[in-house]
Amino acid sequence: MNRRRYLTLASAGVVSSLAGCGGRGSTDASETSGDSGRSIDDHPAAANLEVQPRQGTLGGNVVLAFEDPSCSQCRRFHENAVPKIHSNIVEAGAGAFVVRTYPIIYPWGKPATQALESTLARTEEAFWALFDHYFATQGQFTSNNVFDRTEQFLAEATDLDGTAVVEDARNKAHDDAVQTDIAAAENADLPQQTPIVLLFRDGQFITRANGSVSYDLIANALGLS
Amino acid sequence: MSVLSRALRGVRLPTQRHDWQLMSRTARLVLTLPTYALIAVIAGVISLTAFVVSLNVPVFMDLVVGGTLPLSSRLAIVGELYPFVGTNFTVVQGLLLVVVALLTGTDIAMVTYHFREHGFDIQQGGAGAAGMVLGTLGAGCAACGSAVMVGLLSLVGVSASVLFLPLDGLEFALGAVVVLTLSIYWLADGMRGGEINGCPVDI
């Protein structure tokens, strides 16, 4: 046996190592470099990009993040990379940071996403405040309290009528916006994990990063380091 | 149940202090041989690299292998994929991945030594391969572990709502540590009574 069996086992280990995780992630089309160079105007993940919550102006570099408010890795991405993206890319005029919601991790992420879209339909400023609030106090949310806590936050920290926003969220009044984001992820064959960060340099897709990747990785990828 | 009991009857586990001393001594003796120390280092680095690259294959292919970035940016991007350099892993996740990589390197060095010097046993090799698989799942779960379980368990009809892993997916990396430790123990147990580099393997 045993050399052949040994080599078989070793190969299985190597193949398994390279297979990675993430459901359908390892077989999707964007796992290869085939999408590189594709225009942001044609990329399915960037469909309807102009109406998504955005910091900075479109037309140059774009950091497009698919995030779930219930995902701990997204929280870490917001703590580590997003502040530097804001100061070094957005405020420096080097590009835009755009968010699309992708609620796939914990159940409370779904009603939270409905609330985010109902908030965005009113003001973008309140959307960013609520988005930050979900990450800042992520461990306190459950499916049972997400609407109550959202209503309380909006009433206390924004000018919005928290009761009206939550009523819309309960009734899924802006579900079309939620489904548009999910469809964008599915049409782009993104794996079912978050965060997923798509990078566009001067309007052209260059790659997709998974997880709480660092600002330095993003800056090097965009040629901004 | 009786089948399982029969299967497990001959399996030894490191339950005594001298079992751990045996593992430690055997691993140390193997790793004092320069060839096997080099094998352990190479295997550990490769396993850790495979773990972290497997999480970001598109980045690796588009920017490191392909693309137009200068070499310094390519190297910086590779570095950012590793724990403690980039931000993709927490300290606990990073430590676990490094431990899995160290154990993988040690295990492969011991398997190689055992294979070359004493032949090979399927039980030990199987445990090593299982450790590699669990290590990979551990790395994947560090990215957002519950999504992995959703993907795997949806195949058998398990709802995502039941997948609340208390350690956010680190369970797989811990499983890898257990399997690799068992593999090292069984290898050490298999070498008991022999010699490594002229030194007796026994406690």
Side-chain angles (χ1 to χ4, degrees):
Chain A
M1 116 144 167
N2 290 323
R3 186 180 296 270
R4 183 178 300 172
R5 197 69 182 261
Y6 172 73
L7 292 173
T8 302
L9 285 166
S11 301
V14 170
V15 169
S16 301
S17 297
L18 295 175
C21 82
R24 55 200 169 89
S26 60
T27 57
D28 64 61
S30 54
E31 197 76 1
T32 69
S33 55
D35 272 356
S36 291
R38 191 169 182 176
S39 168
I40 193 169
D41 298 328
D42 300 329
H43 201 291
N48 301 310
L49 198 67
E50 64 281 357
V51 298
Q52 303 305 317
R54 182 181 78 238
Q55 297 172 344
T57 55
L58 296 176
N61 298 318
V62 173
V63 179
L64 171 59
F66 283 77
E67 299 187 76
D68 180 336
S70 71
C71 168
S72 59
Q73 286 288 95
C74 299
R75 172 177 52 76
R76 294 183 53 244
F77 179 67
H78 263 257
E79 291 171 352
N80 296 319
V82 170
K84 293 176 182 173
I85 291 171
H86 188 75
S87 59
N88 297 336
I89 297 179
V90 174
E91 290 187 345
F97 175 60
V98 185
V99 162
R100 304 197 86 140
T101 52
Y102 193 30
I104 56 169
I105 303 299
Y106 291 104
W108 73 263
K110 289 183 170 63
T113 298
Q114 293 287 343
L116 282 166
E117 293 293 355
S118 294
T119 303
L120 179 64
R122 290 166 167 84
T123 74
E124 191 165 334
E125 185 182 357
F127 169 90
W128 289 110
L130 180 60
F131 202 45
D132 291 343
H133 176 66
Y134 282 144
F135 289 127
T137 58
Q138 194 178 60
Q140 300 172 25
F141 283 95
T142 67
S143 294
N144 293 329
N145 70 14
V146 60
F147 281 138
D148 292 340
R149 290 182 62 87
T150 299
E151 182 177 341
Q152 182 182 359
F153 171 79
L154 290 173
E156 291 175 358
T158 74
D159 296 332
L160 297 184
D161 180 348
T163 304
V165 172
V166 166
E167 187 65 17
D168 277 358
R170 287 186 196 278
N171 296 327
K172 299 185 177 180
H174 301 95
D175 191 50
D176 53 340
V178 174
Q179 298 308 321
T180 296
D181 284 353
I182 294 172
E186 291 176 349
N187 291 338
D189 283 333
L190 300 186
Q192 289 198 319
Q193 65 185 73
T194 53
I196 299 174
V197 183
L198 286 86
L199 301 176
F200 297 86
R201 184 168 54 213
D202 295 328
Q204 291 193 318
F205 176 77
I206 53 171
T207 196
R208 183 197 85 211
N210 305 323
S212 175
V213 291
S214 67
Y215 169 76
D216 287 342
L217 186 149
I218 292 170
N220 275 286
L222 293 176
L224 301 174
S225 59
Chain B
M1 188 63 190
S2 60
V3 174
L4 183 63
S5 299
R6 279 199 300 274
L8 293 175
R9 192 168 296 151
V11 175
R12 299 177 60 155
L13 298 174
T15 54
Q16 306 293 322
R17 186 179 175 187
H18 61 79
D19 292 331
W20 294 90
Q21 290 174 328
L22 173 71
M23 289 167 61
S24 172
R25 177 171 171 77
T26 308
R28 196 168 66 245
L29 287 172
V30 169
L31 295 179
T32 53
L33 299 168
T35 301
Y36 295 99
L38 184 63
I39 288 173
V41 170
I42 292 172
V45 170
I46 288 175
S47 67
L48 182 59
T49 303
F51 295 159
V52 299
V53 169
S54 70
L55 295 179
N56 266 301
V57 174
V59 168
F60 190 78
M61 296 304 293
D62 292 339
L63 303 180
V64 180
V65 176
T68 58
L69 293 173
L71 179 62
S72 59
S73 292
R74 293 172 197 255
L75 293 175
I77 287 169
V78 171
E80 292 294 328
L81 298 177
Y82 286 89
F84 306 114
V85 180
T87 56
N88 221 350
F89 306 98
T90 65
V91 172
V92 174
Q93 290 167 343
L95 282 174
L96 263 176
L97 289 182
V98 170
V99 168
V100 168
L102 290 173
L103 288 174
T104 300
T106 302
D107 191 49
I108 288 177
M110 290 177 68
V111 167
T112 307
Y113 179 89
H114 197 37
F115 181 49
R116 290 180 64 182
E117 304 293 334
H118 305 124
F120 189 73
D121 186 308
I122 182 64
Q123 180 187 37
Q124 294 148 1
M132 288 285 285
V133 172
L134 288 172
T136 305
L137 285 173
C141 283
C144 238
S146 48
V148 179
M149 293 304 289
V150 171
L152 292 176
L153 298 185
S154 63
L155 297 175
V156 291
V158 178
S159 165
S161 62
V162 303
L163 299 173
F164 295 152
L165 300 176
L167 300 180
D168 227 8
L170 280 179
E171 288 84 352
F172 291 108
L174 289 170
V177 169
V178 171
V179 170
L180 286 165
T181 302
L182 286 174
S183 176
I184 289 171
Y185 170 67
W186 290 328
L187 284 164
D189 196 41
M191 295 185 208
R192 190 194 297 266
E195 286 188 352
I196 299 174
N197 202 22
C199 299
V201 180
D202 214 346
I203 296 293

